[in-house]
Amino acid sequence: MTERNSPPANMIEALRRIYQCNWKQLADRLGVDPRTVREWRETEPSDNGKLRINELWRAAMIIARADEIRSPVNAGRSKK
């Protein structure tokens, strides 16, 4: 088990944190069996696994960017 607030060890852990889900839910999002995700955490994913991980990562970044556009940091500041 990792310490709270520690940096993610890999992209799979980062995805789990981004989507705020458990390992089974992440496996469902990736379209694989939970045992496959467990294997990917311990060894290098297959090419198909890397593709699935990258697609989900890309989707997370698109969502994050859309949220940023909807509520920009500088909202409410006057323009000069």
Side-chain angles (χ1 to χ4, degrees):
M1 186 172 188
T2 59
E3 280 189 48
R4 242 174 208 238
N5 299 323
S6 63
N10 52 44
M11 277 183 77
I12 297 171
E13 171 66 24
L15 284 171
R16 191 185 66 76
R17 291 182 188 189
I18 289 168
Y19 284 102
Q20 299 176 354
C21 60
N22 62 37
W23 293 110
K24 181 179 180 333
Q25 292 167 331
L26 181 61
D28 290 343
R29 283 185 179 271
L30 290 165
V32 298
D33 190 85
R35 288 178 292 212
T36 303
V37 173
R38 189 178 320 117
E39 289 172 12
W40 291 349
R41 290 169 52 202
E42 296 170 2
T43 62
E44 185 78 14
S46 65
D47 287 342
N48 184 36
K50 290 176 186 177
L51 179 64
R52 288 173 185 262
I53 291 166
N54 286 333
E55 286 174 353
L56 191 57
W57 182 264
R58 207 171 302 120
M61 296 305 102
I62 290 168
I63 291 167
R65 182 68 179 132
D67 288 345
E68 182 182 306
I69 290 169
R70 272 182 281 199
S71 59
V73 175
N74 295 326
R77 291 187 181 177
S78 61
K79 294 182 180 180
K80 294 182 179 181

